[in-house]
Amino acid sequence: MSSLAEYEAQRASLIEDDRALRREYLTSNSRSEKEIGADKIVRRIRASEAETIWKEEHSSIPHPFPGMEFLTGKSIIVKTQLFEILSKMPKGALLHAHLDATVNAEFLLELALKQPAIHVRIQKPLEASNLATNLPEFRILPREQCTDIPSLTGPSYPLGSWVSLQNARNSFAPDLGGKDGFDNWVIGSMTINPAEAYGTHNTIAKIWKKFGSTFITSTGLIRVEPIFSEYIRQFFRSSIADGISYVEPRINFLYKHMYGADGQDNIPHREWLVMFDRVSNEVKEEMAQQGRAGQFIGARIIYSTIRFITPEELEWYTEDCIALKKEFPHLIAGFDLVGDENVLKPLIYYAETLLRFRERQKEEGVDIPFIFHAGETLGDGTEADVNLYDAILLGTKRIGHGYSLIKHPKLVETCRQKGIAVEVCPISNEILRLTSSMPMHPLPALLNNGVPVALCSDDPAVFGNMGLTFDYFQVLAASEITGLSTLGAIARDSIEFSTLDGEEKKIALDEFERRWAEFLDYVLEYGQ
Amino acid sequence: MSSLAEYEAQRASLIEDDRALRREYLTSNSRSEKEIGADKIVRRIRASEAETIWKEEHSSIPHPFPGMEFLTGKSIIVKTQLFEILSKMPKGALLHAHLDATVNAEFLLELALKQPAIHVRIQKPLEASNLATNLPEFRILPREQCTDIPSLTGPSYPLGSWVSLQNARNSFAPDLGGKDGFDNWVIGSMTINPAEAYGTHNTIAKIWKKFGSTFITSTGLIRVEPIFSEYIRQFFRSSIADGISYVEPRINFLYKHMYGADGQDNIPHREWLVMFDRVSNEVKEEMAQQGRAGQFIGARIIYSTIRFITPEELEWYTEDCIALKKEFPHLIAGFDLVGDENVLKPLIYYAETLLRFRERQKEEGVDIPFIFHAGETLGDGTEADVNLYDAILLGTKRIGHGYSLIKHPKLVETCRQKGIAVEVCPISNEILRLTSSMPMHPLPALLNNGVPVALCSDDPAVFGNMGLTFDYFQVLAASEITGLSTLGAIARDSIEFSTLDGEEKKIALDEFERRWAEFLDYVLEYGQ
C-alpha cells in the first residue's frame, strides 16, 4: 500500500465493513433521493445548533451540550429546530412503557379533582422543609367514609385522616403556596426533578427510591375505575399526537383489584382489560371519524408483576395471565417481571415456574411471549446483568433495556441473529443514573452491531419525556453516524418487533411508510 | 428443554460461550489452586468492603460507591484492604504514560527549589480569588539574567518580571498562605482537583483546558537538564516501588531543545536520550546492587509530537525520530501523535506523511512502530472516533485509549485477531470526563470481547493516580466477572504487547511469573 489513493480506498472499505451490520444500511441501496436530502438537512441543523444554542451561556445550565442530562437540558431542547422537526416524525410503535407512568402528572391530578370521593392524607405535619419527602397518600373512599375535614395543613388536621382532594387543595396553607403549592407538592411526588436526579439522589440506588415512591403515590389515583379509563384514553391520545401509532404498555397486575367508583377495592383484572379494550376501541373510532384511522393501529398489554414475589405467587399470576389471554387473545401481548433488577430477585429464581408457564401455555393452547426486562444495570456478571442470559434462554421476544447487553459478545450476536430487539430507553437510563449523558450511552454500539432497537420512553410521566420525540432527540445527539435514516429504521423496527401479526403488521408498516414519505417532504420544505 | 436441570446446563454453557474470548480464560485450565484461592479472597474482600467502607456516610463524599469519581473517592480507596493488596501486586509494564506527568508535583517542586536559577513570573497580580487561574510561568535563566526581586506578591512586584523560585516562595504573601500557599498554588497549577473535574470544568472541552494548562506550566520546570535527569530517575523509582518492571513513556519532542543548567535553550533531542539512557542504566545498576535486578527491566521511549503541527512540520519530526532510532535503537520504541483528538487534527490529515515515514524507515533500515492515540472520545463517527480506522490501517502496534473502540464491531474483531492491544487508562478517562464512574467505563466490554488490554495511568502527576495500583483498583470495582486472574492476565499482556523483543520479553515474563507466585502467597496469607 504505497499511494495515498490506495490508502483512502482501503479506508473507505474498512469503514463500510464496520458499519455493514447497521440496520439502516441493510436497506440503504433503496434510500430515496428524498431521504438522502432530508437526512442532510437534519445533519446540517444538528451541527449548526451544536455550535449555537448549545454553546450559549445559560444561568441555570452550567455546562450545556447536545445529549446532556435531560432534566436540565430539556428547556434548551424544546427551543431547537431539531426538536420541532422530530416532533413531526412518525414514530411507529411504543413497546416499552409502564402504563402507570404514561400520562403527565398535571393531567392525572385534574382527573382526580373531578372525583369528589378521592381523598388524601399524610402522617406527619407538612412543612416547607419536608414537602419533597412528606408524600401524599391517595384513596377513593366509599360514600359513607367520605369526610368533611376542611384542611390537610391546619393545626387542627388529625394526622392520618382522610381529607377530600378538593378540600385539601382549596385550603392548602398559604405559606406552602396555597392551591399552586398543593399542585406542586402532588406533582412533585409523582415526578423526578433535576435536583433529585443530579443532586440529592445521584446514585442508581438512591434515585430508584425516589422513582419507586412516585408509583406508590400515583397508584392511589390511577387504580380507580373512572380515572383508569380516562388515564388510558389520554395515554393513547397523547401518543397519537406525538406520531406513535401503536402501543404495548406494561400493566402491573400485582394488586389483584382496583377501586371502583363506589370506593370498593373489588374490580378484578378482567375488568381492567374490558376497560382497556373499550377505550382502545373508542379512540380508534374517534380517529376514524377524524379520517385518521391509520394513525392508531391499537394497543395491547404486556402482563407484568414485580420481582419480589415468591415463585408460588408467580404461579398465580401466570395462571391469571393465561386466563386473561384466553378471554382476550387480542389484548395480551406478552409477560414480564419488573422492578429494580439490581436489588430484586433475578430471573433464575423464577426459572422453574417460568418453564412450567410455557408448558401450561401449550396445554391451554395459547402463546404468551416473554418480553423480559433484563440487564438494566451497570453490572458485569452481577445478577441483574446475568438476567440477560436467562431472558434469552427462556426465549424472550424482546429485551427491556438490555443496558448491559453490549458487554456480552455472544448475546449481541444472538440478538442480531435471532432478531431479539432491545427496547432502549435513553432518557430513563440517564435519569436513573446508568449513564450521565447520551454520548456515554451504549446505544450507538448496539446500532453499529446490528442489534434491532425499538426506542422507548419507559416512564414518561415521571421523567418528563412524554411521547418519543425527546428520546429520538437524544439518539440524534449521541452519534454522528446516526442520522434521519437511522431514526426511520428504528421506528420501522418498533413495528417489526412488536407483537402485531401478519395483516395487522403489514397495515402498520404500510401506513408508516406513507407517513414517513410525508415527513420527508416536510423536512425538505423545512430545510429550504 | 423441559427440566430445570437441563435449563441450568444450557445456561452454564451459554455463560461459558459468552466469556470464552476473555484472555484470562484462554489459560484458565492452567490456573493454579493458589490462584483460585487468592482470587476468592480478593472477591470476598471486594464484596465485604462494598457493603462496609463504601456505604459509610462521609461528610465530604455525598454518594460513595466502589468505582466512583476517583478524585473524590481516593481518600476511601487508600483505606481499603483491596488497595493494600493491590499495591503489592506485580504490575508488569506501563505502556501509556506521558513522561511530563509521571512524577508528582510536590517532588517536582522540590527538585526545582534546588536550582537557584529557576525563576517564576506572573502577568496579573495574585489574589486569593484568582489563585486557580493566575498561573505561574517557570524558566531557568542564565546567570546574568537572574534577579534579586524579593517577591512575587508584594505591591512593588513589576508584573511580568522573573523572581527566583526561592524568593517567590519565601516571601509569598501571608494572606495567600505564605510558603504553604505558594506550594499549593504551584502544585494546583500542575494538578486537577475534584472541584475542577466535577464542578467548574465538568465537560470534556473544559477539563481539557485545565489539563492542557498543567503541561504548559510544568514544562518550564521539567525541560531543564539537571531537573530532567532527576525527574526520570524518580519516575523509574516510583514505578518500581509500585511493582512496575518496565516502562514505555511517551516523550513530547515538540520543542526542539530543552534548557541547560546554564539557562540556555540549546539541549537537543539526542541529549535527552543520552540522559534517559544514563539514568535508566543507573537505576538498573542501583536495583542490581540491591539484589532486585529483575524488578526493573528498563525503559524505552515512544517519540511523540502534537496533532496541531502541519504535515510539513511532521516530516521534520519523523526524520528526527529516524535519526534518533539509528543512534539509539534500544531506546526508541515507537511513534505517536498526541493531544485532544476532539479538537486537533485527525490522523488522516497526516496520512501521506505517515505513509512516507514508513517508506523512509525501510530505506533507513529501521523499524519504528506506530503506537497511536485513537478514539479517546465519546464520539461515534466523529473525526476523533474515525482515528481508530486510520490507526489500525496505518498498522498501529497498540491503540492509546481506544475509548470508542467498543462501538465498532469490525475493529474489535481486528484488534482481537491481530493482537492490537488497547492501552486503557480508566482514571484518566474518568477525570477527563469520558465517563462519570468506572461502572460506566467500556473496559469490561473490551475484556469480554477478548481485546488485549494493557492498563495505564496516562498522566498520574496530574490525576493523582501514581503507579498502577489505583487503576487496577478501579478495574476490580467495575465488574464482577473480573477478578484477580483478570488482573494477572492484564499485567501479563502489558509485557506481551510491549515493544520488548525475544529474549528481553522472556526475561520480563519469567520474572513476572516468579513475582506473581509470590504475590499469590501474600494474598493467601492476607486472607487467612
Side-chain angles (χ1 to χ4, degrees), chain A residues 367-403:
Chain A
D367 178 27
I368 307 168
F370 291 131
I371 306 179
F372 284 131
H373 276 69
E376 186 185 5
T377 184
L378 287 176
D380 179 48
T382 59
E383 284 188 342
D385 177 49
V386 166
N387 278 336
L388 286 168
Y389 302 105
D390 288 298
I392 288 172
L393 271 180
L394 288 164
T396 201
K397 178 174 169 56
R398 300 190 301 263
I399 294 173
H401 290 289
Y403 193 90

mmCIF file of all heavy atoms in Angstrom, chain A residues 367-403:
data_model
loop_
_atom_site.group_PDB
_atom_site.id
_atom_site.type_symbol
_atom_site.label_atom_id
_atom_site.label_comp_id
_atom_site.label_asym_id
_atom_site.label_seq_id
_atom_site.Cartn_x
_atom_site.Cartn_y
_atom_site.Cartn_z
ATOM 1 N N ASP A 367 -50.344 -18.593 23.330
ATOM 2 C CA ASP A 367 -48.939 -18.215 23.162
ATOM 3 C C ASP A 367 -48.737 -16.823 23.740
ATOM 4 O O ASP A 367 -49.255 -15.834 23.215
ATOM 5 C CB ASP A 367 -48.574 -18.236 21.676
ATOM 6 C CG ASP A 367 -47.128 -17.809 21.459
ATOM 7 O OD1 ASP A 367 -46.304 -18.002 22.374
ATOM 8 O OD2 ASP A 367 -46.839 -17.256 20.382
ATOM 9 N N ILE A 368 -48.021 -16.779 24.836
ATOM 10 C CA ILE A 368 -47.769 -15.502 25.523
ATOM 11 C C ILE A 368 -46.263 -15.323 25.609
ATOM 12 O O ILE A 368 -45.605 -15.840 26.520
ATOM 13 C CB ILE A 368 -48.370 -15.516 26.951
ATOM 14 C CG1 ILE A 368 -49.848 -15.910 26.901
ATOM 15 C CG2 ILE A 368 -48.184 -14.153 27.621
ATOM 16 C CD1 ILE A 368 -50.452 -16.222 28.273
ATOM 17 N N PRO A 369 -45.683 -14.607 24.667
ATOM 18 C CA PRO A 369 -44.211 -14.498 24.690
ATOM 19 C C PRO A 369 -43.719 -13.765 25.932
ATOM 20 O O PRO A 369 -44.361 -12.838 26.422
ATOM 21 C CB PRO A 369 -43.899 -13.695 23.423
ATOM 22 C CG PRO A 369 -45.167 -13.006 23.056
ATOM 23 C CD PRO A 369 -46.279 -13.874 23.546
ATOM 24 N N PHE A 370 -42.574 -14.213 26.421
ATOM 25 C CA PHE A 370 -41.882 -13.427 27.433
ATOM 26 C C PHE A 370 -41.326 -12.174 26.756
ATOM 27 O O PHE A 370 -40.829 -12.235 25.626
ATOM 28 C CB PHE A 370 -40.710 -14.212 28.028
ATOM 29 C CG PHE A 370 -41.154 -15.387 28.869
ATOM 30 C CD1 PHE A 370 -40.591 -16.641 28.682
ATOM 31 C CD2 PHE A 370 -42.109 -15.222 29.863
ATOM 32 C CE1 PHE A 370 -40.978 -17.719 29.467
ATOM 33 C CE2 PHE A 370 -42.508 -16.301 30.655
ATOM 34 C CZ PHE A 370 -41.944 -17.559 30.449
ATOM 35 N N ILE A 371 -41.442 -11.069 27.431
ATOM 36 C CA ILE A 371 -40.811 -9.814 26.957
ATOM 37 C C ILE A 371 -40.158 -9.218 28.201
ATOM 38 O O ILE A 371 -40.687 -8.311 28.830
ATOM 39 C CB ILE A 371 -41.851 -8.854 26.332
ATOM 40 C CG1 ILE A 371 -42.647 -9.584 25.233
ATOM 41 C CG2 ILE A 371 -41.142 -7.622 25.751
ATOM 42 C CD1 ILE A 371 -43.724 -8.724 24.554
ATOM 43 N N PHE A 372 -39.001 -9.789 28.540
ATOM 44 C CA PHE A 372 -38.402 -9.524 29.845
ATOM 45 C C PHE A 372 -37.539 -8.266 29.915
ATOM 46 O O PHE A 372 -36.725 -8.012 29.031
ATOM 47 C CB PHE A 372 -37.497 -10.697 30.252
ATOM 48 C CG PHE A 372 -38.233 -11.912 30.737
ATOM 49 C CD1 PHE A 372 -37.904 -13.170 30.219
ATOM 50 C CD2 PHE A 372 -39.219 -11.823 31.707
ATOM 51 C CE1 PHE A 372 -38.557 -14.312 30.670
ATOM 52 C CE2 PHE A 372 -39.873 -12.969 32.163
ATOM 53 C CZ PHE A 372 -39.544 -14.212 31.637
ATOM 54 N N HIS A 373 -37.693 -7.561 31.000
ATOM 55 C CA HIS A 373 -36.644 -6.641 31.421
ATOM 56 C C HIS A 373 -35.388 -7.475 31.712
ATOM 57 O O HIS A 373 -35.487 -8.511 32.374
ATOM 58 C CB HIS A 373 -37.009 -5.959 32.740
ATOM 59 C CG HIS A 373 -37.887 -4.764 32.616
ATOM 60 N ND1 HIS A 373 -39.198 -4.825 32.222
ATOM 61 C CD2 HIS A 373 -37.634 -3.439 32.867
ATOM 62 C CE1 HIS A 373 -39.721 -3.609 32.242
ATOM 63 N NE2 HIS A 373 -38.800 -2.748 32.622
ATOM 64 N N ALA A 374 -34.249 -7.002 31.271
ATOM 65 C CA ALA A 374 -33.002 -7.693 31.628
ATOM 66 C C ALA A 374 -31.819 -6.761 31.369
ATOM 67 O O ALA A 374 -31.823 -5.998 30.394
ATOM 68 C CB ALA A 374 -32.841 -8.983 30.837
ATOM 69 N N GLY A 375 -30.851 -6.828 32.246
ATOM 70 C CA GLY A 375 -29.625 -6.048 32.049
ATOM 71 C C GLY A 375 -29.811 -4.547 32.194
ATOM 72 O O GLY A 375 -29.043 -3.778 31.630
ATOM 73 N N GLU A 376 -30.811 -4.119 32.972
ATOM 74 C CA GLU A 376 -30.946 -2.674 33.247
ATOM 75 C C GLU A 376 -30.022 -2.368 34.424
ATOM 76 O O GLU A 376 -30.462 -2.162 35.564
ATOM 77 C CB GLU A 376 -32.401 -2.334 33.589
ATOM 78 C CG GLU A 376 -32.651 -0.828 33.732
ATOM 79 C CD GLU A 376 -34.069 -0.503 34.197
ATOM 80 O OE1 GLU A 376 -34.830 -1.439 34.498
ATOM 81 O OE2 GLU A 376 -34.410 0.703 34.261
ATOM 82 N N THR A 377 -28.750 -2.330 34.133
ATOM 83 C CA THR A 377 -27.735 -2.295 35.190
ATOM 84 C C THR A 377 -26.393 -1.871 34.633
ATOM 85 O O THR A 377 -26.147 -1.992 33.430
ATOM 86 C CB THR A 377 -27.593 -3.701 35.822
ATOM 87 O OG1 THR A 377 -26.663 -3.639 36.906
ATOM 88 C CG2 THR A 377 -27.071 -4.717 34.797
ATOM 89 N N LEU A 378 -25.530 -1.401 35.522
ATOM 90 C CA LEU A 378 -24.133 -1.169 35.149
ATOM 91 C C LEU A 378 -23.260 -2.379 35.469
ATOM 92 O O LEU A 378 -22.058 -2.357 35.247
ATOM 93 C CB LEU A 378 -23.587 0.059 35.887
ATOM 94 C CG LEU A 378 -24.118 1.402 35.389
ATOM 95 C CD1 LEU A 378 -23.575 2.533 36.257
ATOM 96 C CD2 LEU A 378 -23.721 1.621 33.935
ATOM 97 N N GLY A 379 -23.877 -3.414 35.990
ATOM 98 C CA GLY A 379 -23.100 -4.577 36.386
ATOM 99 C C GLY A 379 -22.529 -5.348 35.208
ATOM 100 O O GLY A 379 -22.974 -5.228 34.078
ATOM 101 N N ASP A 380 -21.539 -6.166 35.512
ATOM 102 C CA ASP A 380 -20.932 -7.079 34.543
ATOM 103 C C ASP A 380 -20.720 -8.387 35.301
ATOM 104 O O ASP A 380 -19.787 -8.506 36.091
ATOM 105 C CB ASP A 380 -19.587 -6.502 34.065
ATOM 106 C CG ASP A 380 -18.868 -7.410 33.073
ATOM 107 O OD1 ASP A 380 -19.515 -7.878 32.115
ATOM 108 O OD2 ASP A 380 -17.654 -7.638 33.250
ATOM 109 N N GLY A 381 -21.670 -9.298 35.106
ATOM 110 C CA GLY A 381 -21.588 -10.540 35.869
ATOM 111 C C GLY A 381 -22.384 -10.498 37.161
ATOM 112 O O GLY A 381 -22.366 -11.461 37.927
ATOM 113 N N THR A 382 -23.083 -9.407 37.424
ATOM 114 C CA THR A 382 -23.974 -9.346 38.582
ATOM 115 C C THR A 382 -25.287 -10.051 38.235
ATOM 116 O O THR A 382 -25.557 -10.344 37.075
ATOM 117 C CB THR A 382 -24.308 -7.892 38.946
ATOM 118 O OG1 THR A 382 -24.936 -7.281 37.809
ATOM 119 C CG2 THR A 382 -23.057 -7.104 39.298
ATOM 120 N N GLU A 383 -26.121 -10.289 39.248
ATOM 121 C CA GLU A 383 -27.410 -10.949 38.985
ATOM 122 C C GLU A 383 -28.223 -10.190 37.937
ATOM 123 O O GLU A 383 -28.856 -10.790 37.066
ATOM 124 C CB GLU A 383 -28.220 -11.049 40.283
ATOM 125 C CG GLU A 383 -27.722 -12.138 41.221
ATOM 126 C CD GLU A 383 -28.658 -12.361 42.415
ATOM 127 O OE1 GLU A 383 -29.481 -11.466 42.704
ATOM 128 O OE2 GLU A 383 -28.556 -13.428 43.033
ATOM 129 N N ALA A 384 -28.233 -8.872 38.036
ATOM 130 C CA ALA A 384 -29.020 -8.068 37.097
ATOM 131 C C ALA A 384 -28.505 -8.242 35.677
ATOM 132 O O ALA A 384 -29.270 -8.321 34.708
ATOM 133 C CB ALA A 384 -28.978 -6.599 37.499
ATOM 134 N N ASP A 385 -27.200 -8.307 35.551
ATOM 135 C CA ASP A 385 -26.577 -8.491 34.235
ATOM 136 C C ASP A 385 -26.813 -9.910 33.728
ATOM 137 O O ASP A 385 -27.135 -10.126 32.548
ATOM 138 C CB ASP A 385 -25.079 -8.183 34.372
ATOM 139 C CG ASP A 385 -24.297 -8.407 33.085
ATOM 140 O OD1 ASP A 385 -24.739 -7.912 32.039
ATOM 141 O OD2 ASP A 385 -23.254 -9.085 33.140
ATOM 142 N N VAL A 386 -26.697 -10.858 34.614
ATOM 143 C CA VAL A 386 -26.874 -12.270 34.248
ATOM 144 C C VAL A 386 -28.320 -12.562 33.826
ATOM 145 O O VAL A 386 -28.584 -13.522 33.095
ATOM 146 C CB VAL A 386 -26.384 -13.174 35.414
ATOM 147 C CG1 VAL A 386 -26.836 -14.609 35.243
ATOM 148 C CG2 VAL A 386 -24.851 -13.113 35.509
ATOM 149 N N ASN A 387 -29.259 -11.721 34.237
ATOM 150 C CA ASN A 387 -30.632 -11.851 33.748
ATOM 151 C C ASN A 387 -30.695 -11.925 32.218
ATOM 152 O O ASN A 387 -31.620 -12.514 31.667
ATOM 153 C CB ASN A 387 -31.477 -10.651 34.210
ATOM 154 C CG ASN A 387 -31.990 -10.816 35.634
ATOM 155 O OD1 ASN A 387 -32.114 -11.933 36.130
ATOM 156 N ND2 ASN A 387 -32.307 -9.708 36.285
ATOM 157 N N LEU A 388 -29.728 -11.317 31.562
ATOM 158 C CA LEU A 388 -29.735 -11.346 30.091
ATOM 159 C C LEU A 388 -29.649 -12.773 29.556
ATOM 160 O O LEU A 388 -30.323 -13.125 28.588
ATOM 161 C CB LEU A 388 -28.563 -10.524 29.542
ATOM 162 C CG LEU A 388 -28.700 -8.998 29.647
ATOM 163 C CD1 LEU A 388 -27.360 -8.326 29.351
ATOM 164 C CD2 LEU A 388 -29.770 -8.487 28.682
ATOM 165 N N TYR A 389 -28.798 -13.590 30.172
ATOM 166 C CA TYR A 389 -28.688 -14.989 29.728
ATOM 167 C C TYR A 389 -30.030 -15.695 29.905
ATOM 168 O O TYR A 389 -30.490 -16.419 29.028
ATOM 169 C CB TYR A 389 -27.619 -15.751 30.513
ATOM 170 C CG TYR A 389 -26.230 -15.155 30.446
ATOM 171 C CD1 TYR A 389 -25.690 -14.461 31.526
ATOM 172 C CD2 TYR A 389 -25.437 -15.305 29.311
ATOM 173 C CE1 TYR A 389 -24.407 -13.918 31.477
ATOM 174 C CE2 TYR A 389 -24.151 -14.765 29.249
ATOM 175 C CZ TYR A 389 -23.650 -14.078 30.343
ATOM 176 O OH TYR A 389 -22.385 -13.540 30.285
ATOM 177 N N ASP A 390 -30.656 -15.479 31.078
ATOM 178 C CA ASP A 390 -31.926 -16.152 31.354
ATOM 179 C C ASP A 390 -33.027 -15.657 30.426
ATOM 180 O O ASP A 390 -33.820 -16.451 29.917
ATOM 181 C CB ASP A 390 -32.304 -15.957 32.821
ATOM 182 C CG ASP A 390 -31.400 -16.771 33.741
ATOM 183 O OD1 ASP A 390 -31.423 -18.016 33.610
ATOM 184 O OD2 ASP A 390 -30.663 -16.184 34.538
ATOM 185 N N ALA A 391 -33.090 -14.356 30.225
ATOM 186 C CA ALA A 391 -34.126 -13.823 29.338
ATOM 187 C C ALA A 391 -34.021 -14.484 27.963
ATOM 188 O O ALA A 391 -35.019 -14.949 27.403
ATOM 189 C CB ALA A 391 -33.980 -12.309 29.220
ATOM 190 N N ILE A 392 -32.807 -14.551 27.459
ATOM 191 C CA ILE A 392 -32.606 -15.103 26.110
ATOM 192 C C ILE A 392 -32.880 -16.602 26.092
ATOM 193 O O ILE A 392 -33.564 -17.116 25.196
ATOM 194 C CB ILE A 392 -31.192 -14.754 25.592
ATOM 195 C CG1 ILE A 392 -31.145 -13.250 25.262
ATOM 196 C CG2 ILE A 392 -30.809 -15.603 24.389
ATOM 197 C CD1 ILE A 392 -29.782 -12.720 24.915
ATOM 198 N N LEU A 393 -32.383 -17.322 27.093
ATOM 199 C CA LEU A 393 -32.615 -18.779 27.122
ATOM 200 C C LEU A 393 -34.090 -19.119 27.309
ATOM 201 O O LEU A 393 -34.573 -20.130 26.802
ATOM 202 C CB LEU A 393 -31.829 -19.407 28.270
ATOM 203 C CG LEU A 393 -30.415 -19.834 27.950
ATOM 204 C CD1 LEU A 393 -29.781 -20.433 29.193
ATOM 205 C CD2 LEU A 393 -30.383 -20.842 26.801
ATOM 206 N N LEU A 394 -34.803 -18.267 28.020
ATOM 207 C CA LEU A 394 -36.232 -18.510 28.218
ATOM 208 C C LEU A 394 -37.028 -18.107 26.979
ATOM 209 O O LEU A 394 -38.240 -18.261 26.934
ATOM 210 C CB LEU A 394 -36.739 -17.753 29.453
ATOM 211 C CG LEU A 394 -36.275 -18.331 30.799
ATOM 212 C CD1 LEU A 394 -36.490 -17.331 31.933
ATOM 213 C CD2 LEU A 394 -37.009 -19.645 31.102
ATOM 214 N N GLY A 395 -36.331 -17.567 25.990
ATOM 215 C CA GLY A 395 -36.982 -17.283 24.715
ATOM 216 C C GLY A 395 -37.636 -15.919 24.627
ATOM 217 O O GLY A 395 -38.593 -15.729 23.881
ATOM 218 N N THR A 396 -37.101 -14.942 25.371
ATOM 219 C CA THR A 396 -37.711 -13.607 25.334
ATOM 220 C C THR A 396 -37.824 -13.099 23.897
ATOM 221 O O THR A 396 -36.912 -13.290 23.086
ATOM 222 C CB THR A 396 -36.915 -12.624 26.223
ATOM 223 O OG1 THR A 396 -37.747 -11.525 26.572
ATOM 224 C CG2 THR A 396 -35.664 -12.098 25.525
ATOM 225 N N LYS A 397 -38.955 -12.486 23.611
ATOM 226 C CA LYS A 397 -39.166 -11.937 22.262
ATOM 227 C C LYS A 397 -38.367 -10.660 22.080
ATOM 228 O O LYS A 397 -37.803 -10.403 21.015
ATOM 229 C CB LYS A 397 -40.652 -11.649 22.053
ATOM 230 C CG LYS A 397 -40.969 -11.038 20.686
ATOM 231 C CD LYS A 397 -42.446 -10.887 20.450
ATOM 232 C CE LYS A 397 -42.716 -10.042 19.206
ATOM 233 N NZ LYS A 397 -42.073 -10.564 17.985
ATOM 234 N N ARG A 398 -38.369 -9.835 23.108
ATOM 235 C CA ARG A 398 -37.539 -8.629 23.112
ATOM 236 C C ARG A 398 -36.872 -8.542 24.480
ATOM 237 O O ARG A 398 -37.183 -9.313 25.378
ATOM 238 C CB ARG A 398 -38.400 -7.362 22.916
ATOM 239 C CG ARG A 398 -39.188 -7.330 21.629
ATOM 240 C CD ARG A 398 -39.825 -5.938 21.398
ATOM 241 N NE ARG A 398 -40.734 -5.499 22.435
ATOM 242 C CZ ARG A 398 -42.064 -5.626 22.382
ATOM 243 N NH1 ARG A 398 -42.645 -6.207 21.336
ATOM 244 N NH2 ARG A 398 -42.801 -5.189 23.372
ATOM 245 N N ILE A 399 -35.943 -7.587 24.604
ATOM 246 C CA ILE A 399 -35.305 -7.359 25.902
ATOM 247 C C ILE A 399 -35.627 -5.939 26.352
ATOM 248 O O ILE A 399 -35.390 -4.980 25.602
ATOM 249 C CB ILE A 399 -33.775 -7.547 25.818
ATOM 250 C CG1 ILE A 399 -33.454 -9.012 25.518
ATOM 251 C CG2 ILE A 399 -33.102 -7.108 27.117
ATOM 252 C CD1 ILE A 399 -31.983 -9.274 25.243
ATOM 253 N N GLY A 400 -36.174 -5.806 27.537
ATOM 254 C CA GLY A 400 -36.437 -4.480 28.099
ATOM 255 C C GLY A 400 -35.137 -3.895 28.619
ATOM 256 O O GLY A 400 -34.488 -4.493 29.466
ATOM 257 N N HIS A 401 -34.719 -2.780 28.066
ATOM 258 C CA HIS A 401 -33.484 -2.065 28.423
ATOM 259 C C HIS A 401 -32.239 -2.722 27.835
ATOM 260 O O HIS A 401 -31.594 -2.159 26.978
ATOM 261 C CB HIS A 401 -33.342 -1.882 29.941
ATOM 262 C CG HIS A 401 -34.319 -0.910 30.485
ATOM 263 N ND1 HIS A 401 -34.237 0.428 30.248
ATOM 264 C CD2 HIS A 401 -35.445 -1.089 31.230
ATOM 265 C CE1 HIS A 401 -35.250 1.049 30.828
ATOM 266 N NE2 HIS A 401 -36.003 0.148 31.421
ATOM 267 N N GLY A 402 -31.856 -3.882 28.338
ATOM 268 C CA GLY A 402 -30.643 -4.522 27.840
ATOM 269 C C GLY A 402 -29.440 -3.586 27.892
ATOM 270 O O GLY A 402 -28.575 -3.613 27.020
ATOM 271 N N TYR A 403 -29.411 -2.775 28.941
ATOM 272 C CA TYR A 403 -28.346 -1.763 29.015
ATOM 273 C C TYR A 403 -26.953 -2.404 29.010
ATOM 274 O O TYR A 403 -26.012 -1.877 28.427
ATOM 275 C CB TYR A 403 -28.524 -0.888 30.263
ATOM 276 C CG TYR A 403 -27.680 0.338 30.239
ATOM 277 C CD1 TYR A 403 -28.148 1.522 29.684
ATOM 278 C CD2 TYR A 403 -26.375 0.318 30.733
ATOM 279 C CE1 TYR A 403 -27.354 2.656 29.624
ATOM 280 C CE2 TYR A 403 -25.572 1.444 30.678
ATOM 281 C CZ TYR A 403 -26.070 2.606 30.122
ATOM 282 O OH TYR A 403 -25.264 3.723 30.057
#
